[in-house]
Amino acid sequence: MKLLTVLMAEASKIATDDYVGFTFFVGCMAMMAASAFFFLSMNSFDRKWRTSILVSGLITFIAAVHYWYMRDYWASFEESPTFFRYVDWVLTVPLMCVEFYLILKVAGAKKSLMWQMIFLSVIMLVTGYFGEAVHTTAPGPAVWGLISGLAYFAIVYIIWFGAAKKLAEQAGGAVLKAHKTLCWFVLVGWAIYPLGYMAGTEGWYDGLAGLGLNMDVIYNIGDAVNKIGFGLVVYSLAVASTSTTSEA
């Protein structure tokens, strides 16, 4: 009861017109709900899918914890919680890359593919952090953003045209369908992050600030859509595969 009172008191710090704080709070609740859903559904699937569902739950759980801290940080200082956000990403984005490996194991995916994608994701995030939090005056953010973007497009190439695509085509069926959906999340969903990056840093793209775009709102919406969406795609694949096995 005391804990509930404390949480309600903390929530009251968000002003009714604080849309940034609102997205932080909703994002936190959505991630918590998704984590509970994934963790509680694990035992409904064959052993080979439980790790994938577990990783989906870990992604949203880690994000939920960080979003709770980020919401408090925003409520206290009204500043973008850049440090917490990148700590979240450096843990969850590599796990999203692991999801590709896990669903492609049935087609013979090797761990080298997983580590390659993890390495590129870390490069993408570290260089993004340098541009957003360390070298914050032009041309620093644009230069670091370019390097981060190159790592991102390398991941896109691997999953759309490279080894990951070939493995998905070999697997076929529900695996291929799930892989294509995850690819669209990376291509379109992850593209939200460069938009947020440009809205909050200096560079040739300064005109974005005049459009009224808020970096944190963009990031928060992108996180909720991408992390929960990733998990739901994997969950759907597990359901489809389990149903096929049961019918056989």
Side-chain angles (χ1 to χ4, degrees), residues 45-57:
F45 303 106
D46 297 334
R47 186 180 298 273
K48 65 179 181 180
W49 292 113
R50 290 177 188 174
T51 303
S52 297
I53 300 299
L54 173 63
V55 171
S56 297

Side-chain angles (χ1 to χ4, degrees), residues 2 13 28 39 59 86 192 218 234 237:
K2 183 178 180 180
K13 292 180 180 179
C28 178
F39 288 146
I59 290 171
Y86 274 90
I192 295 175
I218 296 171
V234 174
L237 172 60

Side-chain angles (χ1 to χ4, degrees), residues 1-2 30 42 52 68 89 100 109 111 141 170 181 192 235:
M1 188 66 181
K2 183 178 180 180
M42 281 179 57
S52 297
W68 186 260
W89 286 346
F100 277 97
K111 289 185 178 179
Q170 291 176 19
T181 305
I192 295 175
Y235 174 84

